[in-house]
Amino acid sequence: MRDIPALAYREELETSSMDVRTPLQPAVVTPKQALSIKPFGLDMDVLLTTEATGGATSVIVAWHKPGEGPPDHVHFKQEEILFIIEGYYEVTVGDENAKAGPGSIAFIPRNVVHRFKNVGGVTGRMLGWSLPGGQDHYLKAISELAAARGFTSEKVIEISKTFDTHFPVQP
C-alpha cells in the first residue's frame, strides 16, 4: 500500500501533538469528594481534576457574591466553557456582551479576552470547564499563595504567566 503524504503528515501531527497521558478512566465525584479552594478570595470546588481526566479537561464550581467576577483576561492554551447554575451574570466574550441566568452557557475560545460578573442580588454559582485541563492547577496555585499569605500582584502575574493566563492592562 502506498503512503499518501497528506495522511502521513496528518497522522504525524496527531501523534506528535498528543500529550503523554494515562489511559482515560471513568470518574464520578460527589460534592463531598471535591477539593475546596479559595483563589482570589472566591469559594470554589474542583470537581474534576486535570489528572482525573487524563489532561482532557478540568471542571470547577464557583460561587460569586453580587459584584464578584474576574476582570478582562485571556487563556492562551485552553478553551473555557461556563455554565450558570444560579444567579445572573454579565458575560463578555470578545465583543459580545450578554446578561445570562440559570441554564445559560458560554463558550470561550483560547486567545479571546473575556470576563464575567455577578450582576444579581444573590450569590451566583457556575460551572467552569477548561479544555484541555489545567485551570484547576492555576486556581489551586493562586489559592495556595493566598493561604501562605504571600499574595502580591507580582506573584499573581508570575503564576498567571506560568499557566498561560494574561490580564490585559485596563485603559
Side-chain angles (χ1 to χ4, degrees):
M1 178 181 245
R2 76 181 185 156
D3 189 21
I4 300 172
L7 292 178
Y9 177 69
R10 179 178 170 192
E11 184 177 323
E12 180 182 319
L13 278 178
E14 289 173 356
T15 304
S16 64
S17 68
M18 293 172 67
D19 297 29
V20 177
R21 298 180 185 179
T22 57
L24 294 178
Q25 299 295 318
V28 176
V29 180
T30 66
K32 289 182 181 182
Q33 294 171 311
L35 171 66
S36 292
I37 58 175
K38 203 168 177 80
F40 302 107
L42 302 171
D43 292 319
M44 295 185 184
D45 285 349
V46 179
L47 299 176
L48 281 174
T49 64
T50 298
E51 292 74 24
T53 65
T57 190
S58 60
V59 181
I60 293 169
V61 62
W63 290 263
H64 302 97
K65 294 178 182 125
E68 288 183 337
D72 281 348
H73 63 286
V74 60
H75 308 288
F76 297 119
K77 293 187 177 180
Q78 297 166 317
E79 274 71 44
E80 190 170 18
I81 298 172
L82 304 175
F83 180 80
I84 299 169
I85 301 168
E86 298 173 327
Y88 289 90
Y89 289 82
E90 181 177 68
V91 180
T92 302
V93 179
D95 294 332
E96 291 192 41
N97 189 354
K99 187 172 181 185
S104 299
I105 192 165
F107 173 70
I108 305 156
R110 64 185 73 191
N111 301 316
V112 175
V113 175
H114 59 283
R115 68 179 176 271
F116 58 86
K117 181 167 88 171
N118 179 346
V119 293
V122 299
T123 298
R125 183 168 50 130
M126 72 166 52
L127 287 172
W129 285 263
S130 67
L131 303 146
Q135 194 70 351
D136 57 327
H137 294 167
Y138 169 65
L139 294 168
K140 187 176 176 200
I142 296 292
S143 183
E144 289 170 353
L145 179 67
R149 301 197 191 288
F151 199 90
T152 65
S153 58
E154 293 81 15
K155 288 186 180 179
V156 168
I157 290 169
E158 182 182 323
I159 290 171
S160 297
K161 284 182 183 177
T162 300
F163 290 97
D164 293 306
T165 295
H166 178 70
F167 293 89
V169 176
Q170 296 292 324

